[in-house]
Amino acid sequence: MATIHVDGKQYDVDGADNLLQACLNLGLDIPYFCWHPALGSVGACRQCAVKSFRDENDKMGRIVMSCMTPASNGTYISIDDEEAKAFRATIVEFLMTNHPHDCPVCEEGGHCHLQDMTVMTQHHSRSYRFTKRTHLNQDLGPFIGHEMNRCISCYRCVRYYKDYAGGTDLGVYGSAANVYFGRAEEGTLESEFSGNLTEVCPTGVFTDKTHSERYTRKWDMQYAPSICASCSVGCNVSPGERYGEIRRVENRYHGELNGYFLCDRGRFGYGYTNLKDRPRHPLIDGATVTSDVALGAARGMINGASKVIAIGSPRASVEANYALRTMVGAASFYDGHATQEGELVKLALQIVRDGPVPATTITAMEDADAVLVLGEDITATAPRMALAVRQAARGKGRALADEKKVSDWQAISLADLLQRDSYPVFVASVDSTRLDDIAHATVRAAPEDLARLGFAVANLLDASSPAVAGLDEATAAQAKAIADALAAAKKPLIISGTGAGSTAVMQAAANIAWALKAKNDATGLALTLPEANSYGLAMLEPQPLADALEALASGAADTLVVLENDLYRRAPKAVVDAALAKVKSLIVIDHTATDATARAQVVLPAATVFEGDGTVVNYEGRAQRHFQVYDPKYYDASLAQVESWRWLAVLEAASGWKILDDITGACATAVSGLAGIVDAAPGAAFRIDGLKIAREPHRYSGRTAMRANQAVSEIRQPVDPDTPLSFSMEGYNGVGGLDRPAALMPYAWAPGWNSPQSWNKFQQEIGGHLRGGDPGKLLFAGGATQAYFTDVPAAFTPSGSGSGFRVLPLHLHFGGDELSSRAEPIRERASTAFVAIARADVARAGVNGHATVSVDGELVQLPTFISDTLPAGTVGLPAGFAGVPFVAYGVDATVSGG
C-alpha cells in the first residue's frame, strides 16, 4: 500500500498502480485516451496531466503524466491545479485539430470516450481555422467501419490488435503527426477479435458496421443483461434493441470471464434473432393458427399418444429443458446433444465437478505460466479462452519486469523486456490452429495419438498414472518437454474439451491436471463444451439421443416433442429420416427454422436468448441469467414467440408455473445439482427504493418514440412479471446505476462517462471484480481426489490403401455455430464448405480440386483443401457447415476424385 495526497486529501492506494489508475480507483476523474486497463500505459496522448509536488511545502510543482507516474508513497499531486487544467485543455484542443467534429453523424455519438473527455476537460471551442489533414478510409470487411479522419493517434488500436490479440494485419504507418492506422492494403481484418476495436478506440475511427446499417443512438436503445449463446464460455453481453430489432451487441464486463473483450462471433452473430423467416406464429401443418388452437392440437397429440418422448437442447435454458422433462417424465427425456457429444459432456462434468481440479476462470488463465492445449482448437470452440492464453504467453514480460523492478503497467518497457520470449504454450491438435504462432511446440495427430501423448505426460509427472506402451521416440521426447515445462511452472494450465470427439483425450487431460495438482495447488484445468448450456442439460441427466431415435424408428413411441434443436445436426440424415418417418405426431418448439420445423405438425415459436428470460450453465459450472431485452408483442400484438418453458408450462398445466421464479425454484428443488440457480440473479420481487430497474437509459428520447416507426401515440408499456427490470426508462437508474446488482446491469453508464470506459466506474478496483461480485453462481467447485483414468488407447493406424479415411471434424470460428451462422455478416466471413485432405494422401484419394465424400451413406461433393498439417489417413470436414454431412466421432468416410 502507499499513501498519496491529492488536492490536499490523503488516500491509501495500491503502490503498484500508476497515479491515473490509483485516482480512478478512488473515484477521482482524470481525462485520458491512450491508457486502457488491459493495455497499460504508453504516454502517447498527454491528456492525463496532473501537477506533481515534491512535498506539502512545494508550491511550484511540475506537470507529469499520471499514467506514467507510479503511485509512490508520499506522492503529492493536484488534479484541479489551474496550470494542469489549462495543459489538459490545450492538449485536447491540439488532438482535435484535425478531427472533423462530426458528432451529429458519427456512430459513436453519445457513446464516445472522446466526447466524455472533451467535456471533462471543458474544451468547448476551437481556434484552428486552416485546412485539416484528411485520410482515405479502408474497407475492413463486414464487421468494422473505418473513418481515419477522426483519429487522435492514441495508438490503442494497434496495441490491442497486435500486442493483445495477436493480429498481424493492422498497423500504424507514417511519422510524426501524420500517421495512419489501418492495413497495408484494403481488406477484411483477419483476427477473430477485431470487433473489440469498436470499444477500444476512444473515438469513431473503428465503428460497428452491423450497427451502422440500422443505426440508433445509445440512449435510444433498450437493453438487458444477457449471455452470449455462441459457445460454452458464457461471456456477458449487453444487447441493444430498437423498434423490435436487436441493433447492437456490446461487451458487458465480467471480472472472471470476458473482462473487456468479446470474440467476433459473439459480437456480430446476433442477426439470427432478426430474421424474417424464423417462426413467429404457431403453425399447424405449415398454416398459421392462434396460440390456443396450436396448444389444443399439441395437447391432443400428447394425450392421444401411445408413448411420448422428448428431446431437449443444449442451446435452450435450464428452465425450458426442466419443463420438458417434467412434462414427459425423466425416463422419456432425451439428450439434445449428438450421442457421442452427450457422453463427452457427461465425462467433462464428472471431471470438473467430482475431480480435484475445478474449472479455471478466464482471468486465472491469463496468469498461467505454462499452458498445454490438448486436442482442441480453442479459437473456434471457446474463443475467449484463446485470447486468455495469448495473455498467459505474454505474462513472461511481467515476470521479467518484476526482476528488473519495472511496473507491469509500463507497456513499452514490458515489450522491450519480452522481445520474442514468452511463457511456454504447447498446442496438440488434429490440425493447425490460430494459436500456433505463440506455441513453443505443436503436435499434429489423430485423437488416439493425442491421448497417448497426454497419458505419457501424466505418467512422467506421476509414475502412478498409467504408462503408455509402445510409445515412439518422437512422441516420448515431446511428452518429456511438455511434462518438464508444466512441472517447472508455478501456475500450469491444461485446456481440453469435446472438440476432438475423444473420451481418451479428455481423460488424458484430466490425468495431467490431477498429477500436477498433487504437487502444485495452483494447477488450472478448463474443458470446452459444445454449446452454451451443455452442462445445464447434462445435469438434468437425459437419456442418450441414439436411444430416442431408435425408439422412434422401431415404433416404440409415436409422438415426439423437440425443444430448440435441429436433429439433423445431431445424427446422420438417414437415421433422423428413419425416426421421423415413423412419428405420428411431431411437435417442435423453436425460434429457428430447421428441417425439423419444416416436418412438424405443430410448431410453437420460441423466444431467442434476447427475447426471453432463463438460466444457462457455462464451462465452469457457473449458472448465469439472461433477461428479455424487449417484448416482441409491444410492436406487433400478433406475434406469439415466448420462452419455450411458457409453452410447456401450459401443456404440462399441473405445475402451475406462472413466472420465471416459479419454474427456476421448482427446478432447484427437484434437481439437487441445480439448487444454486436461484441465486444466479435476484428474483422478480427485487426492488431498489421500491422501483424496478430501467432497461432504458434515463436520456431515452421518450416513451412515445419507442414505436415511432408505427405511430407516435402512446400505448401501455409491457409489464414484466418475471424480472426486476422494467420495459421503459421509468424505473431505478440511481447515480449511474452504481448500486445495482451486477447481474441486473443492462448497460454501463455513469455521470460523465458514456463510453464503454464507464465500466471502470462499476469495479471494486480498475480491471478487477464488479462491485457486489461478478454475475452468476458457481454450482460446483471441484471435489475429492479421483483415481487416474487408465484406458490408454492404441495408436491410430491409417488405412494404407483404398479410399477409406478417418473423418475429423474441423471447428472453425465462423460458419459452424448454428445460430451465428445465420447472420449475414458472419456468413460473409465464413469460408465455403470443403474437405481437407493431407498432402500425402492426395494421390491415394485421386482428388483434383473437388472430391466426392461419402459419410454414413450420405454423398456430397466438396472442393478440396490440401493440408500440410492434417495427419495422414484422415480427412477434415468443417463441423456444422451447411452442405457438410453430420459426422459422428470416429466414423470413416470414402473419398474419391469428383
Side-chain angles (χ1 to χ4, degrees):
M1 296 295 291
T3 299
I4 66 172
H5 304 263
V6 183
D7 288 314
K9 296 182 179 180
Q10 180 175 308
Y11 301 95
D12 291 328
V13 299
D14 186 345
D17 292 339
N18 58 47
L19 281 174
L20 174 60
Q21 184 165 341
C23 289
L24 292 174
N25 277 332
L26 294 170
L28 305 174
D29 288 344
I30 300 177
Y32 63 89
F33 289 118
C34 63
W35 177 81
H36 187 283
L39 305 178
S41 303
V42 293
C45 70
R46 324 304 289 174
Q47 188 60 63
C48 64
V50 297
K51 180 69 77 69
S52 174
F53 302 93
R54 288 192 302 273
D55 52 40
E56 68 271 23
N57 299 316
D58 183 6
K59 304 302 180 185
M60 295 292 291
R62 62 191 181 95
I63 297 291
V64 300
M65 301 306 118
S66 59
C67 78
M68 299 297 289
T69 306
S72 304
N73 192 50
T75 295
Y76 288 79
I77 64 168
S78 173
I79 300 171
D80 293 332
D81 178 82
E82 291 301 322
E83 185 180 2
K85 291 198 292 186
F87 184 95
R88 294 195 296 265
T90 301
I91 288 295
V92 79
E93 182 177 5
F94 169 74
L95 293 175
M96 295 288 284
T97 298
N98 289 297
H99 192 281
H101 292 79
D102 59 344
C103 299
V105 297
C106 176
E107 293 94 327
E108 291 299 293
H111 187 244
C112 176
H113 186 62
L114 175 60
Q115 285 182 332
D116 290 347
M117 299 300 97
T118 302
V119 172
M120 186 182 295
T121 312
Q122 300 178 3
H123 171 64
H124 54 78
S125 60
R126 51 182 171 158
S127 56
Y128 184 76
R129 295 290 182 269
F130 306 99
T131 303
K132 289 179 178 286
R133 173 209 63 207
T134 57
H135 293 292
L136 292 175
N137 302 316
Q138 294 180 323
D139 182 353
L140 298 178
F143 297 155
I144 306 296
H146 190 224
E147 178 47 81
M148 253 306 295
N149 296 313
R150 298 172 184 151
C151 183
I152 59 170
S153 302
C154 71
Y155 288 83
R156 268 198 196 179
C157 57
V158 292
R159 290 167 55 214
Y160 160 73
Y161 193 88
K162 296 177 68 174
D163 299 339
Y164 195 95
T168 58
D169 60 319
L170 180 77
V172 55
Y173 308 95
S175 62
N178 188 25
V179 292
Y180 187 91
F181 296 86
R183 287 170 52 92
E185 58 184 12
E186 199 168 75
T188 299
L189 289 171
E190 296 171 0
S191 172
E192 294 84 358
F193 305 95
S194 65
N196 294 305
L197 290 171
T198 65
E199 294 187 22
V200 167
C201 176
T203 74
V205 176
F206 299 98
T207 56
D208 184 339
K209 190 180 286 188
T210 68
H211 180 218
S212 300
E213 294 169 357
R214 301 179 320 284
Y215 179 69
T216 302
R217 292 291 189 197
K218 176 179 182 176
W219 59 76
D220 278 338
M221 287 191 284
Q222 184 167 237
Y223 302 86
S226 195
I227 307 298
C228 177
S230 291
C231 78
S232 63
V233 172
C235 292
N236 286 207
V237 296
S238 181
E241 171 268 342
R242 180 70 165 176
Y243 299 148
E245 287 186 330
I246 298 297
R247 297 292 179 90
R248 183 174 189 168
V249 168
E250 297 178 278
N251 183 65
R252 184 163 64 98
Y253 182 89
H254 192 293
E256 296 279 21
L257 291 173
N258 41 292
Y260 293 95
F261 305 121
L262 297 175
C263 76
D264 287 355
R265 191 170 69 205
R267 184 182 294 274
F268 301 115
Y270 61 84
Y272 68 90
T273 199
N274 296 332
L275 292 177
K276 303 303 181 186
D277 64 348
R278 52 171 284 216
R280 294 180 183 270
H281 302 89
L283 303 173
I284 295 181
D285 294 327
T288 300
V289 297
T290 65
S291 296
D292 288 342
V293 170
L295 285 167
R299 192 179 292 112
M301 292 174 180
I302 293 170
N303 293 338
S306 62
K307 180 174 176 58
V308 181
I309 63 175
I311 297 174
S313 171
R315 61 173 165 89
S317 68
V318 170
E319 290 83 356
N321 281 290
Y322 174 72
L324 185 61
R325 191 183 82 153
T326 301
M327 186 180 76
V328 301
S332 298
F333 177 64
Y334 291 85
D335 200 347
H337 294 100
T339 299
Q340 294 111 319
E341 270 190 349
E343 293 303 316
L344 291 168
V345 172
K346 289 179 183 178
L347 174 61
L349 182 61
Q350 173 193 343
I351 291 170
V352 300
R353 181 180 61 185
D354 304 328
V357 185
T360 302
T361 66
I362 299 293
T363 301
M365 291 180 195
E366 295 177 349
D367 290 332
D369 55 356
V371 182
L372 169 62
V373 182
L374 185 64
E376 206 70 22
D377 183 355
I378 55 175
T379 308
T381 58
R384 194 58 186 81
M385 288 188 191
L387 196 58
V389 170
R390 288 191 177 276
Q391 309 328 304
R394 295 174 65 232
K396 182 67 174 291
R398 295 192 297 271
L400 294 172
D402 286 343
E403 294 177 8
K404 302 292 184 182
K405 308 299 182 185
V406 175
S407 300
D408 62 6
W409 43 263
Q410 291 273 18
I412 294 176
S413 298
L414 260 66
D416 288 343
L417 287 171
L418 188 61
Q419 297 295 330
R420 295 184 180 277
D421 199 2
S422 64
Y423 278 138
V425 174
F426 301 93
V427 179
S429 58
V430 298
D431 200 4
S432 59
T433 77
R434 295 282 282 173
L435 284 181
D436 291 354
D437 61 310
I438 62 168
H440 277 214
T442 60
V443 179
R444 305 285 172 255
E448 294 92 333
D449 294 332
L450 295 176
R452 288 168 62 81
L453 171 67
F455 278 112
V457 171
N459 177 256
L460 289 169
L461 293 168
D462 184 351
S464 64
S465 68
V468 180
L471 199 65
D472 63 89
E473 187 175 324
T475 304
Q478 291 166 338
K480 186 176 188 310
I482 295 170
D484 289 346
L486 293 174
K490 295 179 181 178
K491 296 180 179 180
L493 171 64
I494 312 302
I495 299 177
S496 188
T498 62
S502 168
T503 58
V505 166
M506 275 205 296
Q507 289 172 344
N511 277 11
I512 296 171
W514 296 349
L516 287 167
K517 178 73 172 182
K519 304 173 182 177
N520 185 344
D521 197 53
T523 299
L525 173 66
L527 300 177
T528 69
L529 307 171
E531 299 199 37
N533 196 34
S534 287
Y535 271 162
L537 175 58
M539 293 173 77
L540 291 171
E541 299 181 345
Q543 311 301 316
L545 177 63
D547 292 356
L549 297 177
E550 183 180 344
L552 292 168
S554 66
D558 61 355
T559 297
L560 172 63
V561 183
V562 178
L563 172 67
E564 298 185 35
N565 211 325
D566 183 356
L567 298 181
Y568 288 91
R569 295 174 63 93
R570 312 295 185 182
K573 184 178 185 299
V575 174
V576 178
D577 284 343
L580 296 185
K582 294 292 186 71
V583 171
K584 176 184 174 183
S585 301
L586 174 59
I587 302 166
V588 176
I589 306 172
D590 208 341
H591 53 70
T592 300
T594 67
D595 289 339
T597 60
R599 299 184 62 156
Q601 281 78 44
V602 175
V603 175
L604 301 176
T608 67
V609 68
F610 304 119
E611 298 165 342
D613 309 305
T615 308
V616 294
V617 183
N618 79 340
Y619 80 97
E620 302 168 274
R622 184 188 299 266
Q624 299 189 98
R625 191 74 42 80
H626 62 82
F627 293 94
Q628 188 176 13
V629 183
Y630 67 103
D631 183 353
K633 292 183 180 180
Y634 179 69
Y635 299 97
D636 185 348
S638 72
L639 298 180
Q641 66 253 40
V642 295
E643 294 97 331
S644 296
W645 68 262
R646 289 193 186 278
W647 292 115
L648 292 162
V650 176
L651 291 173
E652 198 270 339
S655 64
W657 302 318
K658 299 299 182 184
I659 65 173
L660 181 69
D661 286 354
D662 294 340
I663 187 170
T664 302
C667 179
T669 301
V671 184
S672 60
L674 292 169
I677 64 173
V678 294
D679 299 319
F686 179 85
R687 299 289 187 274
I688 298 179
D689 295 339
L691 299 173
K692 282 196 165 195
I693 295 170
R695 281 179 168 90
E696 298 169 358
H698 70 287
R699 297 181 301 163
Y700 202 89
S701 293
R703 197 163 51 192
T704 55
M706 293 176 67
R707 299 170 73 251
N709 61 326
Q710 299 177 21
V712 295
S713 59
E714 180 179 336
I715 67 171
R716 186 171 184 265
Q717 298 298 305
V719 176
D720 185 359
D722 295 295
T723 77
L725 302 169
S726 67
F727 285 113
S728 77
M729 63 188 288
E730 297 169 351
Y732 183 81
N733 261 304
V735 183
L738 299 182
D739 49 359
R740 287 176 295 189
L744 296 179
M745 291 175 58
Y747 54 87
W749 176 86
W753 296 81
N754 300 286
S755 78
Q757 293 298 295
S758 57
W759 282 113
N760 296 341
K761 290 291 185 178
F762 296 86
Q763 298 160 354
Q764 297 173 15
E765 58 182 22
I766 303 299
H769 300 290
L770 290 171
R771 298 182 184 184
D774 296 305
K777 172 70 174 179
L778 283 174
L779 302 181
F780 45 83
T785 301
Q786 298 288 308
Y788 287 120
F789 293 106
T790 59
D791 190 10
V792 180
F796 171 68
T797 304
S799 173
S801 61
S803 57
F805 294 86
R806 166 73 63 81
V807 182
L808 301 177
L810 303 180
H811 300 276
L812 304 181
H813 186 79
F814 299 115
D817 173 64
E818 180 181 2
L819 300 182
S820 69
S821 62
R822 297 172 184 268
E824 180 59 32
I826 299 293
R827 288 203 299 268
E828 287 186 41
R829 280 290 275 116
S831 65
T832 57
F834 63 89
V835 55
I837 188 166
R839 189 174 298 279
D841 291 326
V842 171
R844 175 162 75 91
V847 299
N848 182 19
H850 283 76
T852 300
V853 183
S854 176
V855 182
D856 285 324
E858 187 174 352
L859 222 63
V860 293
Q861 190 176 66
L862 296 169
T864 56
F865 170 74
I866 309 304
S867 171
D868 291 315
T869 50
L870 203 65
T874 68
V875 294
L877 289 173
F881 268 53
V884 174
F886 169 82
V887 176
Y889 294 117
V891 75
D892 289 336
T894 59
V895 180
S896 58

